[in-house]
Amino acid sequence: MLIFHVSETDKALKVDIQELIIAGWAGREQAAIDEHIEELEAIGVKPPSATPLFYRVAANQLTTEPTIQVLGEASSGEVEVVLIGTLQGTLVGIGSDHTDREAEAWSVAHSKQVCAKPVSRKVWRLESVLDHWDELQMTSYATIEGREVVYQQGGVTGLLHPAELLRRFGLDEVRLAPGQAMLCGTLPVMGEVRAADAFRVVLTDPVRGQELEHHYRIKTLPVVA
């Protein structure tokens, strides 16, 4: 059970996540999809069979905790909008599709499963931003050797609009069922894909002058044989 703080109502909402979906290769333009494919091919990841792909991940991997634990030093974050279905409507958060890059080289689906998926506690109602969705901006920051650097930055226009993304997922309406959550795709990395000690993700709404943010630390567990 996760607790979210809904910005528009200033109330806490408990959500029991039952199904977690990762929308991979969800770019709006083929050129951007190709760029991300090439980015991951550089670290040994095979191209997808189709785009987008909807990976299923254990629902308990979605977390609002400030620290996650990973095995080894080959994982990294990816900023993503997160849609969350509730009885009160669909919510919007900002999160990270934290992924094991070594596992990704032989199975993208497996790599998605082995890392927690951090998401912000503060959320917006989807209906509050849907009419100006393309104005939203995403940014991620990686803390590497004590220094925070911009890791990803850009507009959501690089990714499929929620209406189109959910249509391709097989839904007739722009909403998720209660208990469903979906990470909606990421942006190209500035530089190389790399590990970090901490990761911060931000979703900015310049029309309403609001931001969602989540910061988490990465605790690396030793790999023993």
Side-chain angles (χ1 to χ4, degrees):
M1 186 75 69
L2 297 180
I3 300 176
F4 296 100
H5 184 87
V6 184
S7 177
E8 291 84 356
T9 63
D10 198 29
K11 292 182 179 179
L13 183 64
K14 292 182 178 180
V15 183
D16 184 13
I17 302 298
Q18 296 293 317
E19 183 180 8
L20 180 57
I21 305 118
I22 310 292
W25 324 101
R28 195 177 298 191
E29 301 293 335
Q30 190 60 44
I33 297 173
D34 292 341
E35 181 180 356
H36 190 46
I37 289 173
E38 290 174 6
E39 178 180 277
L40 294 179
E41 277 188 308
I43 58 174
V45 181
K46 294 181 180 179
S49 58
T51 58
L53 284 180
F54 296 98
Y55 301 98
R56 299 309 199 276
V57 176
N60 61 5
Q61 290 288 52
L62 194 66
T63 179
T64 56
E65 293 299 317
T67 301
I68 66 169
Q69 296 182 334
V70 299
L71 186 63
E73 299 180 354
S75 70
S76 60
E78 294 182 346
V79 63
E80 306 210 10
V81 169
V82 184
L83 299 181
I84 304 155
T86 76
L87 291 171
Q88 288 74 32
T90 300
L91 307 175
V92 177
I94 190 66
S96 173
D97 178 12
H98 204 92
T99 300
D100 185 309
R101 302 302 172 185
E102 284 186 349
E104 192 173 39
W106 54 269
S107 172
V108 174
H110 184 88
S111 72
K112 301 297 185 188
Q113 174 61 45
V114 297
C115 294
K117 309 302 178 188
V119 63
S120 58
R121 289 182 184 273
K122 183 179 177 181
V123 293
W124 298 326
R125 291 190 177 278
L126 178 58
E127 62 189 22
S128 298
V129 294
L130 199 57
D131 64 348
H132 59 277
W133 183 265
D134 283 355
E135 301 298 321
L136 303 184
Q137 298 284 322
M138 294 194 297
T139 309
S140 70
Y141 303 86
T143 299
I144 302 171
E145 297 180 348
R147 179 170 172 259
E148 188 180 68
V149 298
V150 178
Y151 188 73
Q152 298 165 281
Q153 191 169 50
V156 297
T157 51
L159 301 165
L160 291 173
H161 188 280
E164 178 61 14
L165 183 64
L166 296 184
R167 185 190 70 79
R168 296 198 193 187
F169 185 59
L171 301 178
D172 296 328
E173 298 181 87
V174 191
R175 64 180 180 87
L176 290 176
Q180 283 185 321
M182 180 183 289
L183 278 73
C184 300
T186 195
L187 302 171
V189 169
M190 300 171 71
E192 297 180 346
V193 175
R194 53 207 187 274
D197 301 315
F199 206 67
R200 182 163 63 97
V201 290
V202 180
L203 181 63
T204 303
D205 178 355
V207 174
R208 300 190 302 160
Q210 296 187 19
E211 282 189 347
L212 299 178
E213 179 177 338
H214 185 62
H215 179 274
Y216 67 96
R217 291 175 289 115
I218 298 102
K219 182 178 180 181
T220 302
L221 305 177
V223 179
V224 296

